[in-house]
């Protein structure tokens, strides 16, 4: 036996000394060749430009919707985002935006650059920085002293409870937006996902879909699996697709042919699954205290997918009222009576389903118009301020 042996790989170093093995794991580092951190400084700011900043390695799915609002107001758009979001390519079809693919350290440096003064607006699409040691904390702590951001900073808050707790005296944001306009904030709802297909109800079997983190404080998957098991006594002409990360779903043997757990998917693949589905299942349970934040503090991502893909949802009555869903565009159930809602969805014919989709589209258009008007008003405020000074 060798008294000393050294091994090395891309992920670890191993040293063996007198038969004792010691492993040193390397910290994951994004290869430098995948990121051009000089690109931001080398790229000139176009006339009438907005800079969208997403500091987190998630929320990429809402960026196309935010881009569309600004582009529809005739702004050029640049985006700074994390490498993790860049790889998801949720806005790959856009050809007229500058995307700066980087890491947290350089996002902070970019925002301190004098180049920021050339942008009309800087829009931080999620103010919470979700990689804190204990809990989310405000990304504004990094930028509140930057003079270039004065009177041009817009932010989107995804959790109002945290926002008001952490930023009650912070005067920096010119305007605060939320995805649903909860607690008298301005709504800016990003439910545009690019060039997707709005599809009719499947003719062979009814397809349900669930998208989101596999966490009890987010969705009641137990209710879904219990309902699906009972549904087998009514019909076998259905399929359930579950897409999500941060966990797994234990599917009983009798449901294996009807429930497909696909884990986390890239956005392009997830969008294809959305197009194939007939009904969306938010799985929000008012008896779960963790779910109640979705009533007036934070918006479930389910709302954007339902609106963007025109997928009628099966949703609890209390949450339906909070998100403008009703019996004309969705299937509403009381308490946890998901089973009967699933039966009703299966029994809906193609004509009834099409009417639901049309009503959902009308709701999406109304939300878009209200959101766009809110953004216009905030921009007018900025322009008025700059005219005065």
């Amino acid at each position: 036996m060798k008294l000393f042996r050294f091994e090395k790989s891309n992920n670890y170093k191993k040293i063996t000394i007198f038969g004792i093995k010691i492993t040193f794991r390397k910290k994951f580092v994004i290869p430098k060749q995948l990121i051009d951190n000089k690109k931001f400084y080398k790229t000139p700011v176009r006339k009438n430009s907005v800079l969208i900043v997403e500091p987190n390695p998630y929320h990429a799915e809402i960026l196309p919707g935010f881009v569309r609002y600004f582009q529809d107001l005739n702004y050029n758009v640049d985006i700074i985002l994390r490498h993790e979001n860049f790889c998801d390519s949720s806005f790959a079809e856009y050809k007229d935006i500058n995307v700066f693919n980087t890491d947290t350290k350089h996002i902070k440096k970019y925002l301190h650059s004098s180049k920021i003064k050339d942008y009309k607006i800087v829009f931080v699409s999620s103010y919470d920085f979700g990689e804190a040691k204990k809990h989310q904390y405000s990304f504004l702590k990094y930028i509140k002293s930057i003079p270039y951001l004065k009177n041009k900073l817009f932010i989107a808050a995804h959790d109002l409870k945290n926002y008001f707790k952490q930023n009650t005296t912070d005067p920096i944001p010119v305007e605060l937006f939320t995805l649903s306009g909860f607690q008298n904030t301005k709504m800016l709802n990003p439910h545009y996902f690019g060039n997707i297909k709005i599809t009719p109800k499947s003719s062979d079997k009814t397809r349900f879909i669930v998208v989101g983190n596999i966490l009890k404080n987010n969705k009641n998957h137990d209710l879904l699996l219990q309902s699906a098991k009972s549904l087998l006594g009514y019909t076998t002409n259905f399929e359930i697709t579950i897409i999500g990360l941060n966990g797994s779903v234990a599917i009983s043997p009798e449901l294996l042919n009807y429930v497909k757990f696909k884990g986390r998917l890239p956005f392009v693949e997830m969008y294809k699954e959305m197009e194939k589905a007939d009904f969306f299942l938010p799985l929000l349970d008012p008896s779960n205290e963790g779910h109640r934040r979705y009533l007036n503090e934070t918006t479930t991502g389910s709302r954007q997918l339902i609106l963007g893909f025109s997928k009628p949802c099966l949703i609890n009555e209390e949450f339906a009222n909070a998100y403008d869903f009703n019996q004309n565009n969705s299937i509403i159930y009381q308490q946890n009576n998901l089973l009967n809602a699933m039966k009703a969805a299966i029994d809906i014919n193609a004509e009834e389903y099409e009417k639901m989709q049309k009503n959902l589209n009308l709701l999406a258009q109304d939300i878009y118009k209200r959101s766009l008007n809110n953004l216009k008003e905030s921009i007018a405020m900025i322009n008025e301020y700059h005219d005065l000074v």
Side-chain angles (χ1 to χ4, degrees), residues 253-272:
E254 62 265 46
L255 288 175
L256 288 176
N257 292 328
Y258 307 97
V259 181
K260 308 297 181 184
F261 176 60
K262 303 211 169 184
R264 186 187 184 281
L265 296 178
F267 285 113
V268 173
E269 293 182 34
M270 187 265 279
Y271 293 166
K272 289 179 182 177

Side-chain angles (χ1 to χ4, degrees), residues 108 115 123 125 137 190 210 218 223 235-236 241 243 269 368:
K108 298 171 188 175
K115 182 180 177 181
F123 181 86
S125 64
Y137 57 91
V210 183
N218 287 21
L223 172 64
T235 182
T236 58
T241 298
I243 299 170
E269 293 182 34
Y368 173 81

